[in-house]
Amino acid sequence: MSSHFTFTPSDCKIEEFEALISEPLDPGRLRFASSVEFNIPIYTAMEIEAALAAPDTRRALLAEWAQVLGDLSGVLVLKGAIPDLDAVDAATTAFEAIIGEESALNTGGDHFGERGANERVWNSLQKLCLRDPHLFARYFASPAVAAVSEAWLGPWWQMTTQVNLVRPGGKPQTCHRDYHLGFVTQDQAQAFPAHAHRLSPALTLQGAVAHCDMPVESGPTKLLPNSQRYGPGYVAALLPAFRDLFERRHVQLPLQKGDGLFFNPALFHAAGENRSSNIQRMANLMQIGSAMGRTLERIDRPGMVRRLFPALRDLNLTGAARAAAIGAAAEGYPFPTNLDTDPPIGGLASESQAELLARALDTGMGVDDFNAALEENSARRVP
């Protein structure tokens, strides 16, 4: 626990972290798990179906999942998460078609990896629904997936998905945490107060549905159980010593088609290397959001910023005063966005509305040019 307002590299103690990830998970604490492997509880969707159908046992199961994701290993496997394997196969065919279409248009692709080795379908949720709503309904008709989402996020959760296809020879990712604070630079992470580091993991749940059998040689996700509980982990995950430890201590579990892997976004993890000769490793990644990740009112921020730009030029505000005025009006966070048309080229995120406004003032941009740039910035984010 940091004694400071924010976390810094000096708060990251490798010995404390290693002791944390070495804590064993006592299977006796788990009522509904089928087994525990490498400190990771395994649940079977068919076996928990009755528990989810009865109010008392449903509440107990969701409480167990919440404890696993928050206070224990931070990760669980849900065998048969998508029970309709014909729907999984049909969705695979649809996603492969989308990859082909987007590659022909020079869109899509994995902005975080080498094109040709990895492929991405951004917003596969919307694309599948619009392409084949009947298939979408069959695929997502999974009470178990809905229940694990509710266990961590409560009701009214928001589903988003992105397909990741890693071909034989596809390289591994480096160790990281995920959205929100996992999608910022170390300097940006250090600017957030320590309590925000503790809050961020409660706002999303990470998941992945296997679209093929995934033996370890195909590179299923590398995981470090217990690591989500490390307070300064958003800073530590970017430090070489912690990344080296991750590579020595991570575990991987084989998955079968239709299985789901769900984990706390603060868990140290990384996609593995596809060392197979013939497995096209496809997963539909789920990033499920809390309903509370929203402001109270819907604001026309582009309209405000359009009017504000000439006023800021006239007032010639500088430094903290200008930043405060921009912060009150402009959208400073670049998400959510349309990653097909607004990729984070050259960094972890695209230019935000607030960053555009500051750049326009710094460079002496004219009103017409700024309005055009603002329109482009907004248009890139629309699905």
Side-chain angles (χ1 to χ4, degrees):
M1 176 66 182
S2 172
S3 60
H4 308 295
F5 175 58
T6 61
F7 287 121
T8 67
S10 64
D11 294 306
C12 303
K13 311 297 184 184
I14 195 75
E15 297 83 5
E16 294 177 0
F17 184 69
E18 190 160 15
L20 178 66
I21 64 174
S22 299
E23 293 179 7
L25 174 60
D26 177 7
R29 302 182 67 176
L30 306 174
R31 173 181 171 187
F32 298 95
S34 303
S35 62
V36 173
E37 299 181 32
F38 301 118
N39 260 12
I40 299 174
I42 314 295
Y43 297 84
T44 302
M46 287 186 63
E47 293 178 1
I48 60 171
E49 187 175 347
L52 288 176
D56 289 345
T57 50
R58 177 186 177 87
R59 185 177 182 85
L61 175 55
L62 266 60
E64 180 170 307
W65 280 346
Q67 185 181 36
V68 167
L69 292 168
D71 302 327
L72 299 177
S73 62
V75 53
L76 61 89
V77 170
L78 187 55
K79 303 293 290 183
I82 305 294
D84 187 344
L85 295 185
D86 288 340
V88 174
D89 287 338
T92 297
T93 299
F95 294 142
E96 289 172 340
I98 293 170
I99 288 170
E101 294 164 5
E102 293 184 342
S103 296
L105 296 172
N106 200 33
T107 64
D110 187 352
H111 302 301
F112 303 107
E114 179 184 353
R115 182 180 287 273
N118 298 350
E119 299 286 353
R120 287 265 184 175
V121 178
W122 298 114
N123 195 4
S124 55
L125 185 87
Q126 176 179 308
K127 291 172 182 174
L128 181 63
C129 187
L130 297 182
R131 193 181 194 94
D132 191 335
H134 290 83
L135 173 58
F136 178 94
R138 289 169 54 204
Y139 184 96
F140 282 100
S142 169
V145 171
V148 73
S149 302
E150 182 180 344
W152 187 241
L153 303 168
W156 313 326
W157 43 268
Q158 308 164 73
M159 177 68 73
T160 70
T161 66
Q162 310 84 34
V163 165
N164 190 25
L165 172 62
V166 181
R167 307 185 192 282
K171 300 304 179 185
Q173 291 179 328
T174 53
C175 162
H176 62 281
R177 283 179 162 186
D178 268 336
Y179 189 75
H180 295 68
L181 285 182
F183 273 31
V184 300
T185 66
Q186 188 175 92
D187 286 344
Q188 290 170 331
Q190 289 176 214
F192 280 84
H195 67 262
H197 286 239
R198 294 187 287 271
L199 170 66
S200 184
L203 294 175
T204 57
L205 175 67
Q206 304 301 124
V209 172
H211 274 242
C212 63
D213 290 346
M214 294 182 182
V216 171
E217 67 173 355
S218 71
T221 305
K222 300 188 290 186
L223 307 158
L224 195 60
N226 300 343
S227 58
Q228 86 287 354
R229 291 189 270 140
Y230 191 59
Y234 288 104
V235 177
L238 303 177
L239 300 177
F242 284 79
R243 288 187 161 183
D244 289 344
L245 182 61
F246 172 84
E247 292 302 328
R248 296 195 306 271
R249 296 288 301 272
H250 74 262
V251 298
Q252 292 173 278
L253 287 179
L255 300 174
Q256 294 176 298
K257 184 195 302 181
D259 289 351
L261 175 72
F262 294 91
F263 56 92
N264 185 310
L267 190 83
F268 284 41
H269 68 282
E273 179 180 5
N274 189 345
R275 296 179 283 103
S276 73
S277 61
N278 60 353
I279 299 174
Q280 305 285 324
R281 193 185 86 224
M282 179 183 285
N284 198 16
L285 308 180
M286 295 180 170
Q287 189 189 84
I288 310 160
S290 165
M292 291 186 285
R294 307 171 189 242
T295 55
L296 178 65
E297 295 181 302
R298 188 177 294 276
I299 307 295
D300 179 13
R301 299 200 182 276
M304 292 173 62
V305 169
R306 192 175 295 111
R307 295 293 303 275
L308 184 62
F309 175 63
L312 288 175
R313 288 203 316 172
D314 293 343
L315 291 169
N316 197 29
L317 295 176
T318 60
R322 191 186 80 172
I326 290 175
E331 181 61 70
Y333 194 47
F335 299 106
T337 192
N338 180 350
L339 285 165
D340 281 317
T341 55
D342 189 36
I345 295 174
L348 295 169
S350 59
E351 186 177 50
S352 71
Q353 200 178 78
E355 289 171 331
L356 170 60
L357 179 51
R359 177 169 65 85
L361 292 166
D362 288 338
T363 59
M365 192 180 292
V367 171
D368 290 342
D369 288 340
F370 173 73
N371 287 339
L374 179 63
E375 181 65 29
E376 180 185 1
N377 182 280
S378 298
R380 286 198 308 265
R381 302 179 183 282
V382 179

